[in-house]
Amino acid sequence: MQNNTFPKSLKKGDKIAIISPAGSVEENQLEKTLALIKSKGYEPILGENLYTKFQNGYSYAGTEEQRIKDINWALNDSEISAIWASRGGYGCQHLIEHVDLKEFKKNPKWYIGYSDNTVIQSYLLKKGFASIHGQTIKTSSFGVTEESYDLTFDILKGKYPKYKIESTENNRVGEASGTLVGGNLALIYALLGTKYSFDFTDKILFIEDIGENFYAMDRMIMSLELAGVFKKIKGLIVGGMTNMGKEGENKSYEESFDPFVNQQIAKRISKYDFPIAFNFPNGHIFDNRPLIIGSEITMKVGKDVKIKF
C-alpha cells in the first residue's frame, strides 16, 4: 500500500490559486466558476499570467518561464490553500522539470484539473501527494453537471466520494483494491518511459480521452500493453471516450462513452483477469465527477459498479 499525503481540508475564507499551466483562456470562460468559488466561501486568487497568451505553434498561457513562475508561486505560497487549473490543452510537460516543492512539502494543497494536467498530477504522485482529477475552471463555460463541481468542493472540505454506476456489457466482474493512478490516456502514453511516468505496480488505473482517431487509441493501448502496464495493475476504470474517429463517419461521435473504443480496449486486454469498469463519469464529458489520484480505492464490479475512496 502506498501512503500518499492528502492535503488538509479547506475552511471558509481560504484562498484558491487559479493558474493556466498549459493552454490560453479568455476571461469570459472563467467567470462562472470563479463566481461559484466565491459563492462557496472561498477566495480565488488569479495567477499573474492566468490570461496571458503566447503563440508558438499553439496558444499557450504565456511562455514556459511565465507558466513555471505561476505554478511555483501557487504551489509554494503559504497563503494559498488549493490550486485550480483554468484548463488543460497542452504545455504541462514544459513545467515538470522546473517544479519547486520546497514549501509545498511543508504545506501540501490540493491540485485540481484534468486533461493535460495529468502530467502535473503524475509528478505530484511521484513525490507522494494526492490530487483531484476533476473539472477545470473553464469547463463550466460550455455546460457541465452541477454535481461535478459540488463533489469537488466536497473533497476540498474533506468529504470523499462513493460512486455507484450501472454496469455495461464490456465490464469484467471482480473486486480489487489499490492506489488510483492515471488520467488522460494521451498523457499517460506520453510519459511512458520517462521518470515522470506513473508507477503501475498493484495500482488501479483510470483512463479517459477525447478527439483521437481509432487507430491512435489502439496505438496508445498497445503501448501500455508493450510496456507491461496491464501485467502490473489490479484493476482498470475507463472513463469518457468522446469525439472519436471522424465526426461525419462515427455515429457515436457525440456520445460520452464511444462503444467502439470500449470494444477496442476490451479486446486488447481480454487475456487479463483484473476487474474492468467502463463508462465511468469522468473525463471530457458533460458529467465529469472527480476522482482522487493517489487515493486508496476499492472497486467492485458486478451487477453494478461501486467505487469507494
Side-chain angles (χ1 to χ4, degrees):
M1 180 179 293
Q2 183 176 346
N3 294 316
N4 296 310
T5 299
F6 275 45
K8 63 183 180 182
S9 301
L10 272 64
K11 59 184 184 301
K12 292 293 180 68
D14 279 348
K15 297 176 180 179
I16 299 176
I18 314 298
I19 62 170
S20 296
S24 64
V25 292
E26 303 293 338
E27 290 190 40
N28 62 0
Q29 293 175 321
L30 308 189
E31 290 173 351
K32 187 173 181 179
T33 310
L34 292 178
L36 179 62
I37 290 171
K38 293 177 183 177
S39 75
K40 298 292 185 179
Y42 306 113
E43 182 182 357
I45 306 297
L46 308 188
E48 180 181 345
N49 296 290
L50 178 64
Y51 299 119
T52 300
K53 291 181 177 60
F54 174 66
Q55 291 288 340
N56 189 30
Y58 178 75
S59 183
Y60 297 100
T63 63
E64 291 178 25
E65 292 76 15
Q66 288 172 319
R67 288 179 285 124
I68 290 165
K69 180 181 178 181
D70 274 13
I71 194 170
N72 282 333
W73 155 73
L75 288 166
N76 293 292
D77 191 314
S78 61
E79 294 188 359
I80 299 299
S81 298
I83 305 161
W84 210 325
S86 69
R87 62 163 293 184
Y90 174 67
C92 288
Q93 283 178 300
H94 298 148
L95 313 184
I96 51 177
E97 289 193 309
H98 308 281
V99 169
D100 174 12
L101 295 181
K102 184 177 180 181
E103 297 302 321
F104 177 89
K105 290 177 180 178
K106 301 175 186 176
N107 181 32
K109 55 199 77 174
W110 285 113
Y111 185 97
I112 311 160
Y114 74 112
S115 192
D116 200 58
N117 291 282
T118 294
V119 172
I120 304 299
Q121 295 173 323
S122 182
Y123 177 87
L124 289 173
L125 189 56
K126 281 287 184 182
K127 302 298 183 180
F129 300 101
S131 60
I132 300 172
H133 188 276
Q135 296 288 19
T136 57
I137 302 295
K138 175 185 174 182
T139 320
S140 64
S141 67
F142 46 81
V144 292
T145 60
E146 290 184 9
E147 184 181 30
S148 62
Y149 279 106
D150 288 340
L151 288 167
T152 299
F153 284 110
D154 282 348
I155 296 172
L156 293 180
K157 292 184 289 186
K159 180 182 177 182
Y160 304 133
K162 293 180 181 179
Y163 293 120
K164 181 179 179 180
I165 62 172
E166 293 182 3
S167 195
T168 73
E169 61 180 348
N170 292 305
N171 283 1
R172 184 183 293 140
V173 172
E175 180 176 343
S177 296
T179 302
L180 182 67
V181 301
N184 182 258
L185 177 59
L187 276 305
I188 297 168
Y189 165 76
L191 291 175
L192 280 178
T194 75
K195 63 183 179 181
Y196 304 107
S197 178
F198 288 104
D199 174 7
F200 299 99
T201 303
D202 294 330
K203 306 300 193 299
I204 293 176
L205 174 62
F206 168 75
I207 58 174
E208 64 83 27
D209 220 319
I210 184 174
E212 298 285 355
N213 284 311
F214 294 125
Y215 71 84
M217 281 296 307
D218 186 64
R219 179 171 56 205
M220 290 189 285
I221 294 297
M222 276 302 307
S223 288
L224 267 63
E225 161 75 4
L226 295 172
V229 170
F230 300 124
K231 293 178 181 178
K232 299 175 182 178
I233 62 174
K234 296 172 71 176
L236 177 66
I237 301 171
V238 181
M241 294 288 171
T242 189
N243 297 164
M244 298 296 178
K246 296 181 180 179
E247 185 172 6
E249 299 176 5
N250 180 11
K251 64 180 181 181
S252 302
Y253 187 81
E254 298 291 342
E255 292 183 22
S256 293
F257 310 106
D258 191 290
F260 182 72
V261 171
N262 284 355
Q263 291 167 17
Q264 276 186 302
I265 295 170
K267 184 177 180 179
R268 282 292 175 204
I269 58 178
S270 60
K271 65 182 180 182
Y272 301 98
D273 61 1
F274 51 74
I276 307 171
F278 285 88
N279 294 10
F280 185 84
N282 180 293
H284 293 72
I285 56 179
F286 180 69
D287 189 11
N288 179 9
R289 305 180 199 178
L291 293 168
I292 304 173
I293 302 299
S295 173
E296 292 296 315
I297 74 165
T298 298
M299 62 180 294
K300 296 181 180 180
V301 183
K303 293 181 179 180
D304 52 29
V305 177
K306 296 177 182 178
I307 296 174
K308 181 181 179 181
F309 290 81

